[in-house]
Amino acid sequence: MLLECIQPAGTEKIDIRSALGRVLAEDIYAPVNLPPFNRSPLDGYAVRAEDIAAAAPDCPVLLEISQEIPAGRCSQIELGRNQAAMIMTGAPFPPGADVVIKVEDVKKTANKIEIVSSLQAYTNYCFAGEDIQRGEQALSGGEVIDPASIGILAALGIPVVPVYRLPKVAIIGTGDELVEVHEQLQPGQIFDSNSYALAAYIRQAGAKPILAGTVGDSREMIAQRIAENLDNVDMIITTGGVSVGDFDLVSEALISLGARMLFHRLAMRPGTPVLGAEKNGKLIICLSGNQAAAFVTFHLLAWPVLAGLMGISKRELTCATAVMQGQYPKTSAKRNFLRGRAFLDDGILKVRITGKQNPGVIYSTLYCNALIDVPANSPVLKAGDRVDVFLLYANGLY
Ligand code: AMP
Ligand code: MG
């Protein structure tokens, strides 16, 4: 339902020097061959294979060195019969030559070389386009630009690329008890930590978070804060005020704004009260204030939406099976997503729980890179059990 509401946030052209982590908005076709010309992969002598066909230790062939071709220079001089061109790594083949003999494999005397073994034509020969052919698709739209992509773009002589605009996400913390981290705590108050953590997860995902501050438990104030941010951003995430105990103020605020409710409450733990709504084509995802609950629902629900807004083709989290390390003795009547750390051990993916699993315990989010998906009414988890996991930062798995 969430993914159906969104599309990528427009495109722009940027210099490849600032393109790392951005998402390509179009397929890129090679405008040139890579390499652009037939070239030598090593330092040696470019010769004609037929001239050395009979070379053997007891039958050396003598060739005259007729030219020198350093990298960066193109020789137009045809290689004649029984001639050799001294050639450097990366230099273009001269016309007529079809093989390179390594510099170590010849005996040089004055302006002649002696060769004692033959080579097939096109040995030690890099063909124009053997890396990437002109017209071939070099990179795919919807992929994140990594350092290798940037190298390929530069190699193809493409200094500017079309990318999707960075989506902006406003984060609003709701709750009378919240104070900003730089303020003084009064009795009964807590620091707003969700907003800061979510902003960092959003930045890590490659989008642009906007800390839109905290707001007290008031329907009007929540509605106002959502309304004043909605026009400037591509999505809003709120935390707190969606569970029944809070008199449902976020939901009432959204109704008062005329937002369309997509869902409220999901059959999962932690984070059951999560709410999804849409207004003016933008999503407002409202998470429980409990830190671990906000963490889980952010990754399972908001992260794929972020990927979609960013224009990334692969929006699903990576799934895997892992072997449980240690046990988890509690059972749940709801589908439960335990915070864990996955790691490879001797080629096997293993996962262990990252501390206490109460929804309000922030510590379980530390070093968490996997959510263990425990079906409703499962028996207790024992060490060695195979479990399904969602890998959160699959590239950073270690
Ligand atoms: P709520 O979802 O409003 O019922 O809040 C659930 C729990 O999360 C309560 O203990 C809140 O104090 C706490 N909480 C709410 N918002 C935040 C926040 N932004 N940062 C840290 N804890 C929060
Ligand atoms: Mg609250």
Side-chain angles (χ1 to χ4, degrees), residues 98-115:
D98 54 15
V99 67
V100 169
I101 308 166
K102 282 189 208 157
V103 75
E104 306 91 291
D105 292 348
V106 306
K107 204 151 83 196
K108 184 168 181 268
T109 47
N111 73 330
K112 288 211 175 353
I113 51 168
E114 193 186 287
I115 293 146

Side-chain angles (χ1 to χ4, degrees), residues 89-363:
T89 306
F93 266 82
D98 54 15
V99 67
V100 169
I101 308 166
K102 282 189 208 157
V103 75
E104 306 91 291
D105 292 348
V106 306
K107 204 151 83 196
K108 184 168 181 268
T109 47
N111 73 330
K112 288 211 175 353
I113 51 168
E114 193 186 287
I115 293 146
V116 291
S117 61
S118 66
L119 280 175
Q120 289 271 305
Y122 303 110
T123 309
N124 299 331
Y125 191 106
C126 288
F127 286 94
E130 73 170 20
D131 195 341
I132 304 175
Q133 201 110 47
R134 182 154 64 95
E136 197 183 329
Q137 187 177 322
L139 300 173
S140 303
E143 293 285 333
V144 177
I145 298 174
D146 63 358
S149 313
I150 291 176
I152 288 169
L153 289 165
L156 294 172
I158 303 174
V160 172
V161 279
V163 295
Y164 289 107
R165 200 165 59 65
L166 281 184
K168 287 190 218 148
V169 183
I171 304 150
I172 303 170
T174 78
D176 282 337
E177 74 279 33
L178 300 181
V179 298
E180 296 283 349
V181 65
H182 43 80
E183 288 170 359
Q184 198 65 41
L185 273 190
Q186 300 301 325
Q189 294 184 324
I190 57 167
F191 293 118
D192 169 16
S193 59
N194 287 340
S195 300
Y196 294 90
L198 288 174
Y201 291 120
I202 289 165
R203 175 153 305 162
Q204 183 170 258
K208 198 170 173 189
I210 291 165
L211 284 166
T214 57
V215 57
D217 290 311
S218 137
R219 188 188 69 168
E220 290 74 24
M221 277 159 60
I222 296 170
Q224 194 190 331
R225 188 68 61 88
I226 291 171
E228 54 193 37
N229 281 281
L230 197 61
D231 286 345
N232 310 324
V233 298
D234 301 287
M235 164 159 82
I236 293 183
I237 297 179
T238 72
T239 64
V242 275
S243 53
V244 185
D246 293 287
F247 310 106
D248 238 357
L249 290 168
V250 169
S251 143
E252 283 181 24
L254 287 166
I255 290 165
S256 76
L257 288 171
R260 180 167 65 99
M261 292 294 166
L262 300 170
F263 58 84
H264 188 184
R265 298 179 66 79
L266 293 180
M268 63 178 284
R269 287 193 64 207
T272 314
V274 62
L275 181 160
E278 176 269 334
K279 185 169 161 68
N280 302 344
K282 292 173 182 172
L283 285 176
I284 304 147
I285 303 181
C286 307
L287 315 175
S288 158
N290 283 312
Q291 289 122 321
F295 175 90
V296 168
T297 44
F298 169 80
H299 283 93
L300 291 177
L301 299 167
W303 194 89
V305 171
L306 259 186
L309 290 171
M310 291 170 67
I312 298 175
S313 324
K314 183 185 181 296
R315 288 151 198 200
E316 309 81 39
L317 291 170
T318 303
C319 298
T321 42
V323 179
M324 196 60 194
Q325 302 295 286
Q327 47 144 14
Y328 184 69
K330 288 195 191 139
T331 57
S332 164
K334 277 192 204 146
R335 186 177 177 186
N336 197 0
F337 293 95
L338 302 173
R339 276 74 67 211
R341 180 150 188 91
F343 56 99
L344 284 171
D345 182 19
D346 218 356
I348 293 169
L349 187 67
K350 300 185 174 175
V351 68
R352 69 179 148 69
I353 281 161
T354 46
K356 284 202 197 91
Q357 295 290 313
N358 318 36
V361 170
I362 195 171
Y363 212 71

